[in-house]
């Protein structure tokens, strides 16, 4: 009986923690929106963050995007071949990439490489009293740290997504040619056919929102870190898990809104 | 004037501050001593408005810090500086940029003037050579001095010091103590100093408060603390192993 009670209590407090954190992240986001009035004076920090994020992810994104395109082309190609439709592989590939896989893959990579680093960096600042020092100097940590990161990532994610889409198509074209005997010209035509404006802007909107979500969540976990180095580790791990779940949920919601019945 | 009124704070049901009340006068240097982990830093953080008490409050010049909006807190903080235990320098800014940070962020002066002020404070704290170094490349004592320089550029009326002399060599330590006294004599700065360094405490303090088990067990002039009859205080200042303080 008491074990059941304990289970209920611990589940309850876990749920309260999650609600508490969600509230904190949302408030943090709106505070950052307020501080976007300082975007001009913080431009150097924003550009620095954009630069770091792009440099940090360039290599991984290139490899992952290429292989995503190749795998998608191969798998769909195998099925399409049964219906003698393998020459349509480009249509399927570009639709999947622009609508779903482009923003999603980019988000996953940025969560792992940039979001986790944000949580770790801000978490370290928190536990070494740097955040307190800023607060005392009446320098808002939201204006100083969080806003530039959210703005930067909301710009970076759409850029990375476009890059992923493009490279994915190139990867797909190579496989289509090598394994399915689809000429580059035909593949290119297919891509143009299925490259719909709506898919592009919904995909980029998704990427933008993912950027905001990943940076807000990572900064929030960083700012709430405590108990020294262990706390920073926990903040980093939590930021990856939370961002991942939120990207999946929100990604689904956006898809449902724009393509749902 | 800084008033702590029935300050009470718990962490995870552990009482850290148990109804602490004290009035720190303007221009006074008030020293807090006590065992590691008794809540000295926690007390300073309450004064700075970084922590909220469970009940009780901190009042600075008649305005409550506790429970106030961020606006009011920032107004109170504008005349306050904190020298943190670890220096708390922003790790991706050089020493010089760290010291210039509060001036640059609030755009109080033109850049040329900021540089002048920063250089002056760096020279005062014998840090000028380290101006372009990163915090990770300087010693603990230098970080602490850089933290102090960053406080001084703002000309605060109230300075909270968290162990300003720990990790410094004896000469630098005396230099910092001297500086604290100088701040008081020349600019009428009110200081609250947490320290384990009894020599420094006797030298700088107008009053010394001994924090033990969440309470101030004695608060008196350095002279009276030196000649105290209180067993806990005696054991603490003599650093003796025998006495009421449980050393295990
Ligand atoms: N944010 C916090 N959350 C939970 N517990 C805390 C927090 N801050 C401080 N504590 C606890 O409160 C107690 C007092 O901490 P404090 O940092 O004030 O000690 P201190 O007197 O400054 O010690 P030292 O001389 O070692 O710096 C410690 O036991 C610490 O674990
Ligand atoms: Mg302390």
């Amino acid at each position: 009986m008491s074990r059941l009670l304990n289970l209920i209590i611990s589940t309850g407090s876990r749920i309260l923690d999650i609600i508490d954190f969600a509230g904190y992240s949302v408030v943090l986001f709106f505070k950052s929106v307020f501080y976007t009035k300082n975007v001009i004076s913080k431009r150097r920090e924003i550009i620095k963050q954009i630069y770091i994020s792009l440099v940090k992810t360039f290599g991984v994104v290139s490899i992952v995007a290429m292989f995503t395109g190749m795998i998608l082309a191969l798998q769909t190609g195998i099925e399409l071949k049964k219906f003698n439709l393998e020459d349509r592989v480009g249509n399927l590939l570009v639709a999947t990439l622009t609508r779903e896989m482009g923003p999603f893959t980019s988000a996953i990579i940025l969560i792992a490489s940039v979001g986790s680093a944000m949580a770790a960096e801000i978490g370290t600042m928190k536990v070494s009293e740097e955040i307190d020092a800023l607060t005392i100097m009446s320098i808002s940590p939201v204006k100083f740290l969080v806003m530039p990161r959210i703005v930067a990532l909301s710009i970076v994610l759409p850029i990375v997504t476009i890059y992923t889409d493009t490279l994915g198509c190139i990867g797909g074209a190579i496989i289509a040619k090598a394994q399915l005997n689809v000429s580059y010209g035909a593949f290119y035509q297919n891509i143009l056919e299925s490259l719909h404006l709506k898919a592009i802007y919904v995909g980029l909107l998704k990427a933008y929102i993912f950027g905001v979500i990943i940076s807000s969540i990572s900064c929030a976990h960083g700012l709430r870190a405590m108990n020294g180095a262990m706390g920073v580790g926990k903040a980093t791990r939590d930021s990856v898990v939370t961002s991942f779940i939120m990207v999946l949920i929100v990604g689904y919601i956006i898809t449902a809104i724009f393509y749902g019945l | 004037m800084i008033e702590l009124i029935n300050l009470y704070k718990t962490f995870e049901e552990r009482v850290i501050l148990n109804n602490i009340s004290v009035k720190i006068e303007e221009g006074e240097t008030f020293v807090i001593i006590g065992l590691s982990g008794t809540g000295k830093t926690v007390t300073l953080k309450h004064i700075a408005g970084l922590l909220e008490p469970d009940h009780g409050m901190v009042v600075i010049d008649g305005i409550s810090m506790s429970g106030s909006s961020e606006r009011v807190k920032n107004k109170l903080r504008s005349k306050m500086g904190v020298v943190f235990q670890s220096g708390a320098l922003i790790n991706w800014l050089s020493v010089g940029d760290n010291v210039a940070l509060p001036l640059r962020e609030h755009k109080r002066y033109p850049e040329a003037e900021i540089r002048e002020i920063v250089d002056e404070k760096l020279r005062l704290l014998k840090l000028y050579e380290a101006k372009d170094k990163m915090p990770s490349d300087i010693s603990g004592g230098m970080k602490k001095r850089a933290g102090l320089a960053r406080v001084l550029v703002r000309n605060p009326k109230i300075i909270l010091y968290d162990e300003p002399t720990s990790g410094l060599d004896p000469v630098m330590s005396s230099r910092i103590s001297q500086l604290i006294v100088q701040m008081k004599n020349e600019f009428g700065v009110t200081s609250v100093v947490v320290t384990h360094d009894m020599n420094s405490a006797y030298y700088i303090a107008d009053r010394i408060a001994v924090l033990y088990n969440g309470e101030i067990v004695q608060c008196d002039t350095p002279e009276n603390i030196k000649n105290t009859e209180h067993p806990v205080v005696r054991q603490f200042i003599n650093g003796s192993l025998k006495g009421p303080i449980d050393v295990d």
Side-chain angles (χ1 to χ4, degrees), chain A residues 67 81 178 181 200 242 247:
Chain A
F67 275 92
K81 207 168 178 152
N181 251 328
I200 295 175
T242 319
V247 160

Side-chain angles (χ1 to χ4, degrees), chain A residues 226-227, chain B residues 11-12 14 16 34-43 45 51 85 162-163 194 196 211:
Chain A
M226 43 184 173
N227 302 333
Chain B
F11 280 122
E12 288 135 20
R14 217 152 48 87
I16 305 294
L35 300 175
S36 191
T38 43
K40 304 183 295 296
T41 301
V42 169
T43 308
K45 286 191 175 168
L51 286 174
Q85 209 160 349
D162 200 350
E163 305 193 13
V194 166
H196 289 300
L211 205 56

Side-chain angles (χ1 to χ4, degrees), chain A residues 8 31 67 84 175 190 232:
Chain A
I8 294 171
K31 278 188 187 165
F67 275 92
N84 276 329
I175 290 299
N190 291 343
V232 176

Side-chain angles (χ1 to χ4, degrees), chain B residues 9-167:
Chain B
K9 179 73 177 176
T10 56
F11 280 122
E12 288 135 20
E13 285 157 35
R14 217 152 48 87
V15 181
I16 305 294
L17 302 179
N18 193 0
N19 289 318
I20 291 202
S21 292
V22 72
K23 268 187 195 163
I24 301 167
E25 302 294 333
E26 203 166 321
E28 180 177 10
T29 301
F30 189 85
V31 171
I32 302 172
I33 60 175
L35 300 175
S36 191
T38 43
K40 304 183 295 296
T41 301
V42 169
T43 308
L44 286 191
K45 286 191 175 168
H46 276 91
I47 299 175
L50 294 169
L51 286 174
E52 284 293 326
D54 295 356
H55 49 78
M57 58 174 160
V58 174
V59 178
I60 296 171
D61 295 338
I63 302 167
S64 174
M65 178 64 106
S66 314
S68 291
S69 69
E70 213 51 26
R71 248 177 95 110
V72 174
K73 281 184 175 176
N74 279 339
K75 192 141 186 356
L76 288 173
R77 284 168 184 157
S78 68
K79 50 186 168 189
M80 182 189 285
V82 181
V83 181
F84 286 92
Q85 209 160 349
S86 56
L89 301 178
I90 305 302
N91 59 65
W92 34 269
L93 292 178
S94 71
V95 170
D97 287 341
N98 258 291
V99 176
L101 180 67
L103 302 180
R104 286 204 182 122
E105 279 294 312
H106 297 302
K107 299 199 182 61
R108 282 220 200 122
Y109 310 96
E111 182 61 27
E113 210 169 315
I114 290 179
R115 272 178 210 190
E116 232 167 79
I117 299 172
V118 169
D119 287 356
E120 179 208 325
K121 299 302 177 199
L122 287 176
R123 284 209 187 85
L124 178 71
L125 290 160
K126 305 266 180 299
L127 275 173
Y128 190 73
E129 277 66 44
K131 186 179 171 184
D132 296 319
K133 292 212 171 113
M134 298 308 281
S136 53
D137 300 333
I138 61 175
S139 72
M142 287 162 92
K143 277 184 208 163
K144 198 164 278 184
R145 271 142 60 204
L148 179 55
R150 188 175 60 184
V151 165
L152 295 185
V153 292
R154 295 169 65 220
N155 296 322
K157 298 304 283 175
I158 298 171
I159 306 182
L160 314 178
Y161 298 89
D162 200 350
E163 305 193 13
T165 59
S166 73

